[in-house]
Amino acid sequence: MIKETRLTLQNIGKINPESIDDYIAAGGYEGLKKALAMEPFSIIDEMLEAGLRGRGGAGFSTGMKQKFTSKSCQDCPQRYVVVNADEGEPGTFKDRVIMEQDPHIYLEGTIIAAYSIRATKAYIYLRGEYTDSITRTRKAIADAYEKGFLGKNILDSGFDCDVEIRLGAGSYLCGEELTMLESLEGKRGNPRIKPPFPAEKGVFGAPTLVNNVETLANVPLIIKNGKEWYRKFGTERSPGTKIFTVSGQVSKPGYYEVELGITLRQLIDDLCGGMLDGKSFKAALLGGAAGTFVDASMLDERMTYDNLKEKGATLGSGAVIVMAEEDSIYEVLHSCLRFFKHESCGKCVPCRVGTTLMVKDLEKLKNGVKDKEALVQKLVKDSKMIASTSLCPLGQSPILPMESAARYFTQELIV
Amino acid sequence: MNPQEIISKHKPTQDNLLNILHDLQNNNPENYITTDAMDLVARYLNMTKSSVYGVVDYYSMLSLKPRGRYIIRICVSPVCHIKKAGGIISHLENTLGIKTSETTPDKLFTLEVAECLGQCQEAPSMMINEKVYNNLTEARIEGIIAQHK
Ligand SMILES: Cc1cc2nc3c(=O)[nH]c(=O)nc-3n(C[C@H](O)[C@H](O)[C@H](O)COP(=O)(O)O)c2cc1C
Ligand code: SF4
Ligand code: FES
């Protein structure tokens, strides 16, 4: 029986999220104290060796990102941290849990990250619909100022840092880091071309470290307890824990923080109480709409960034949408493709027209088209074409659910 | 508070634009951003009127047109979809006598569809203004609507 390993979620349900004193009594802000006594570059070294990988979806090394951001443009007058709190990937709600129930943990991580790259300003780009997350984070910031964890000369270290919230307004694409920076500057959410990466030219043209809420929640723990401690969890190349948000046909849907490397079967059977009403497992969509379908043959694969990638699947944000025999792959795929059509910003033709055509073509499967198998193959081909010709990563997303659905479930799609 | 007072609460930098627009909209009983308010914002932030308009137009939470006092946003993303959000939407449409994207004649409700609200563990879900309603069933809809009348 696998159990949860709660690191970033260790305080959930144990402290009052509106009380900074509760957080401090539970050992909070000790990471920050320790960090401020260290040189910024040794914090980055510690993070590099701990091996934490970004929890926002892409799984990029957090220490590496800090290193790039701290080294770029030495004469820039300002550097920034931007917290990606715009959680919008369907099936994902882990950041909301952290922000609502233990906001100080990611705020503390934000301040440490700012110190590590010598940024004196951080913005939290927070999803506009997340009312409780906004209220709790606002209170956490105010209380942190009062206790001297924010503002001028933090804890007599000579380091200054300010944090402000900026609200999103209902665009999934603004969760993509470069688009987020545009939106943060008060513009329409049109993507920017990479490179330059945010580490070189981020918000207001200055070097910017963009990190996800869950990523930042790990930072104080790593600094406080050290890299060796952190590396005891997870696997060699995917160290630590990950919060999986499980929804759909399981007995106990919810959020579960586990060591990286557990299997889907363990997640469903040991933690989620098995399938709902004893139904039989058919598929899971891993990583949300911009994720991949898997079938029962993947139940015993270890869920790490690299292993899933090798097997053609994604870990992504940690969303796990579980489907039973009675659920229709067509319906879920249709909902994913419709999602991309809706969220496409329309700036480039392949994505704007392509996502619309894909929904229409998929619907032909239900309208008595003759050669359904050829139609499924055409959809896969089109999604590849869209991926290779689109401007930004949103256009590179429909291929993920499309190709994996075709790989495992063509037989079902064509009946 | 009048729009000018609301705007003045924020610092006059363009990165505050979305915060200001949310504030204006939330303080308008018709839940939208008026042309006059956009003009004031443009002047305050030293932006062109058309770029403020372009921003309001882009974001799905912001509206250029009057809406009802209560905005119902029901999730149609994959989890809610497999948990039968479609039936809930039809039921809402029948109860309110409007289609999605429309406002009831008494200007009380506007029905909109939304993407994943981050409540998937208790799908299907919707929000009415800032409040979340989870584990929706058709039977609960009338009661929830009645609470807002
Ligand atoms: C279309 C799209 C939407 C995204 N949405 C989110 C999101 O809601 N939250 C998030 O943290 N990252 C999101 N990302 C990933 C970010 O671009 C970026 O990788 C992340 O903020 C990096 O932080 P991390 O290194 O801490 O993971 C999205 C990416 C794309 C392409
Ligand atoms: S790929 Fe899609 S979302 Fe990205 S810029 Fe092009 S149209 Fe916009
Ligand atoms: S899919 Fe509806 S709340 Fe997430």
Side-chain angles (χ1 to χ4, degrees):
Chain A
M1 269 298 241
I2 292 277
K3 288 217 175 69
E4 270 197 88
T5 303
R6 289 195 168 190
L7 305 181
T8 60
L9 299 180
Q10 59 183 286
N11 292 329
I12 304 282
K14 297 187 183 152
I15 67 169
N16 171 359
E18 298 199 348
S19 162
I20 191 169
D21 291 326
D22 271 19
Y23 180 69
I24 294 171
Y29 287 107
E30 274 169 26
L32 176 64
K33 281 181 200 153
K34 193 168 164 196
L36 292 174
M38 292 161 75
E39 288 295 335
F41 71 82
S42 34
I43 294 175
I44 298 180
D45 284 346
E46 189 81 13
M47 292 301 300
L48 271 170
E49 286 160 32
L52 172 65
R53 299 172 68 166
R55 301 296 193 235
F60 191 78
S61 154
T62 306
M64 203 76 94
K65 236 191 214 182
Q66 290 175 320
K67 194 167 170 179
F68 291 148
T69 319
S70 76
K71 293 225 157 131
S72 77
C73 184
Q74 288 309 314
D75 21 278
C76 282
Q78 180 60 287
R79 264 159 232 285
Y80 296 94
V81 171
V82 169
V83 182
N84 192 336
D86 195 38
E87 187 164 72
E89 187 64 56
T92 312
F93 45 94
K94 69 202 176 63
D95 298 338
R96 178 174 65 77
V97 172
I98 294 174
M99 293 189 283
E100 286 180 2
Q101 302 197 46
D102 194 14
H104 283 288
I105 197 167
Y106 89 100
L107 184 59
E108 182 182 357
T110 304
I111 308 169
I112 297 173
Y115 177 70
S116 78
I117 63 157
R118 290 159 288 128
T120 55
K121 181 104 196 205
Y123 293 102
I124 299 175
Y125 187 97
L126 215 163
R127 183 170 183 187
E129 289 95 337
Y130 274 9
T131 315
D132 293 342
S133 299
I134 297 168
T135 324
R136 293 264 158 88
T137 299
R138 230 177 233 148
K139 169 114 176 55
I141 293 173
D143 292 346
Y145 269 104
E146 198 150 292
K147 295 270 184 200
F149 299 131
L150 276 174
K152 291 257 172 282
N153 191 18
I154 296 173
L155 303 174
D156 273 332
S157 63
F159 174 63
D160 305 338
C161 186
D162 288 304
V163 176
E164 291 183 28
I165 298 176
R166 292 292 179 269
L167 299 180
S171 153
Y172 165 70
L173 181 54
C174 288
E176 189 278 321
E177 54 189 15
L178 284 162
T179 315
M180 172 168 294
L181 302 177
E182 280 291 289
S183 177
L184 190 58
E185 291 176 8
K187 299 180 198 149
R188 289 167 71 95
N190 286 330
R192 293 181 183 172
I193 313 279
K194 265 188 218 185
F197 288 88
E200 304 154 69
K201 241 178 183 301
V203 72
F204 314 122
T208 303
L209 176 70
V210 185
N211 271 141
N212 166 262
V213 168
E214 184 189 353
T215 309
L216 289 163
N218 278 286
V219 172
L221 305 173
I222 293 172
I223 297 303
K224 184 171 138 192
N225 301 302
K227 54 181 187 263
E228 287 85 15
W229 169 83
Y230 188 71
R231 281 198 164 276
K232 282 197 280 198
F233 306 99
T235 68
E236 175 62 25
R237 297 186 58 202
S238 295
T241 55
K242 174 84 193 78
I243 308 172
F244 288 96
T245 50
V246 190
S247 58
Q249 307 278 19
V250 294
S251 299
K252 292 188 282 174
Y255 53 87
Y256 298 94
E257 183 173 6
V258 294
E259 292 189 49
L260 279 160
I262 79 156
T263 66
L264 189 54
R265 190 189 301 281
Q266 289 169 325
L267 185 63
I268 295 174
D269 288 350
D270 296 356
L271 295 170
C272 301
M275 295 292 291
L276 184 65
D277 304 334
K279 296 177 189 192
S280 66
F281 174 91
K282 175 185 195 168
L285 180 58
L286 303 181
T292 48
F293 288 92
V294 295
D295 72 356
S297 69
M298 293 285 285
L299 277 170
D300 295 308
E301 288 297 337
R302 281 159 76 80
M303 294 200 283
T304 65
Y305 291 99
D306 303 304
N307 189 43
L308 287 182
K309 196 168 174 198
E310 260 167 46
K311 306 281 165 4
T314 48
L315 189 102
S317 58
V320 178
I321 302 172
V322 179
M323 282 162 270
E325 221 36 78
E326 68 196 51
D327 294 316
S328 144
I329 299 292
Y330 169 86
E331 287 293 330
V332 178
L333 181 60
H334 185 267
S335 179
C336 292
L337 296 181
R338 187 206 44 75
F339 174 78
F340 291 119
K341 172 186 161 191
H342 183 255
E343 297 297 331
S344 164
C345 80
K347 193 179 158 100
C348 57
V349 178
C351 169
R352 182 182 67 231
V353 178
T355 52
T356 306
L357 281 180
M358 281 186 77
V359 174
K360 273 204 189 133
D361 277 346
L362 188 73
E363 285 169 358
K364 286 189 194 153
L365 288 175
K366 298 284 158 193
N367 298 339
V369 74
K370 280 219 186 69
D371 193 346
K372 292 187 176 176
E373 196 160 356
L375 184 59
V376 172
Q377 277 160 16
K378 175 181 183 297
L379 277 160
V380 173
K381 210 169 126 234
D382 288 352
S383 68
K384 276 192 187 134
M385 199 269 289
I386 298 170
S388 59
T389 51
S390 291
L391 260 179
C392 89
L394 190 139
Q396 282 133 29
S397 300
I399 190 173
L400 297 165
M402 185 64 234
E403 197 187 42
S404 53
R407 184 177 338 140
Y408 294 110
F409 297 106
T410 295
Q411 284 318 311
E412 177 182 330
L413 289 171
I414 64 177
V415 288
Chain B
M1 253 191 290
N2 69 38
Q4 187 62 59
E5 285 167 344
I6 292 167
I7 295 169
S8 315
K9 283 192 306 178
H10 303 265
K11 277 183 261 168
T13 53
Q14 195 177 330
D15 55 276
N16 271 308
L17 178 60
L18 286 178
N19 284 10
I20 295 176
L21 294 172
H22 272 294
D23 210 356
L24 284 167
Q25 180 166 283
N26 293 342
N27 281 287
N28 179 341
E30 289 184 293
N31 265 308
Y32 81 115
I33 297 166
T34 64
T35 316
D36 289 348
M38 282 189 277
D39 289 351
L40 290 172
V41 174
R43 206 169 311 144
Y44 187 67
L45 299 181
N46 199 16
M47 294 172 68
T48 61
K49 287 182 197 175
S50 62
S51 43
V52 175
Y53 179 94
V55 166
V56 178
D57 186 45
Y58 180 89
Y59 293 94
S60 71
M61 285 183 83
L62 304 174
S63 177
L64 290 161
K65 288 194 305 241
R67 293 184 292 179
R69 172 131 44 100
Y70 298 109
I71 313 293
I72 304 175
R73 305 177 83 226
I74 173 144
C75 174
V76 294
S77 285
V79 186
C80 289
H81 185 72
I82 51 179
K83 295 275 180 172
K84 316 236 169 353
I88 308 282
I89 295 177
S90 315
H91 207 71
L92 274 165
E93 290 179 335
N94 291 337
T95 309
L96 297 166
I98 54 173
K99 295 265 167 237
T100 50
S101 311
E102 291 178 357
T103 301
T104 53
D106 59 8
K107 303 227 167 61
L108 217 45
F109 299 98
T110 299
L111 180 60
E112 296 181 353
V113 293
E115 299 301 345
C116 182
L117 298 168
Q119 304 290 339
C120 337
Q121 89 196 74
E122 297 172 280
S125 302
M126 69 177 183
M127 294 182 77
I128 300 187
N129 290 357
E130 298 188 333
K131 195 166 170 3
V132 176
Y133 294 85
N134 288 334
N135 295 316
L136 292 172
T137 56
E138 291 183 20
R140 282 181 60 210
I141 293 295
E142 273 86 6
I144 295 172
I145 296 299
Q147 280 169 20
H148 292 83
K149 285 201 168 156

